[in-house]
Amino acid sequence: MDLRIDSKWKDILSEEFAKEYFSQLNERLDQLYKKGSVAPMPELVFNAFNHCSFSQVKVVIIGQDPYHGLGQAHGLSFSVPEDIPIPPSLKNIYKEIASDIGISIPDNGNLEKWAGQGVLLLNATLTVSIGQAGSHQKIGWEIFTDAVIQKISEEKEHIVFLLWGNYAKAKGKNIDRQKHLVLEAAHPSPLSAYNGFFGCQHFSKTNNYLKEHNQKPIIW
């Protein structure tokens, strides 16, 4: 698989790319892509990193897998291209933003505008087989994204990590909570949003923290 990733990120993560597990992951992905029906397209796998450079990161939102519907995944957690209907979890994210900070709900689900402001939209697993949720778990991606989270935690300060649902919360094990803000809530999916996602006010809390540390708030 061609590593189409921002050069700074490539340098920072060079040790991971050189490890045996990543070589095995790369070989597995080459086979899967040759068979077809893998999302996102190869050039979009590292899209989250290409839209949000390491120096720019202020907020990290951790998702689980890419959307597995045809045409949905484009490398940013919870995001879809503009011409794709807004998925239920993102609809609930938009509802919480509207309730929390009073802005109107967008008419599309493309979150590149967040990424461009320093929001790393990171899935724990960066690929998936079309129509098969969770199909690329435990093939090596989780090791890689744990390393990404640890690098951010170690080398940066005053980052806001948004962990929604038990899977994302488990990914927070390597975050230094003495120098970063970690906000946890239920997952925004229709099955769990009413059990602690709605009303979490993570978007205003994020912006308040950023302002306290002399950083521009996110225009959600």
Side-chain angles (χ1 to χ4, degrees), residues 2 20 22 40 48 53 61 70 78 110 131 137 148 179 206 214:
D2 183 13
E20 179 63 24
F22 198 88
S53 65
I61 298 179
L70 195 63
F78 295 103
N110 190 332
Q137 291 177 10
V148 172
K179 64 173 182 170
T206 294
N214 302 311

Side-chain angles (χ1 to χ4, degrees), residues 50-149:
N50 295 332
H51 279 277
C52 182
S53 65
F54 185 78
S55 62
Q56 193 182 13
V57 176
K58 298 191 288 191
V59 180
V60 181
I61 298 179
I62 300 175
Q64 187 164 343
D65 296 289
Y67 294 120
H68 59 273
L70 195 63
Q72 287 184 304
H74 69 147
L76 306 173
S77 63
F78 295 103
S79 179
V80 292
E82 290 183 13
D83 58 344
I84 298 293
I86 301 172
S89 291
L90 183 53
K91 284 184 179 178
N92 286 340
I93 291 170
Y94 282 164
K95 287 178 184 176
E96 175 58 23
I97 293 171
S99 170
D100 184 14
I101 56 179
I103 63 172
S104 59
I105 293 175
D107 61 2
N108 71 80
N110 190 332
L111 303 181
E112 289 175 3
K113 59 187 177 296
W114 293 4
Q117 299 175 74
V119 181
L120 182 66
L121 294 160
L122 180 68
N123 278 315
T125 302
L126 299 189
T127 56
V128 70
S129 293
I130 299 293
Q132 300 177 48
S135 51
H136 292 191
Q137 291 177 10
K138 297 184 171 61
I139 66 170
W141 278 129
E142 289 90 347
I143 302 171
F144 175 75
T145 50
D146 277 348
V148 172
I149 293 165

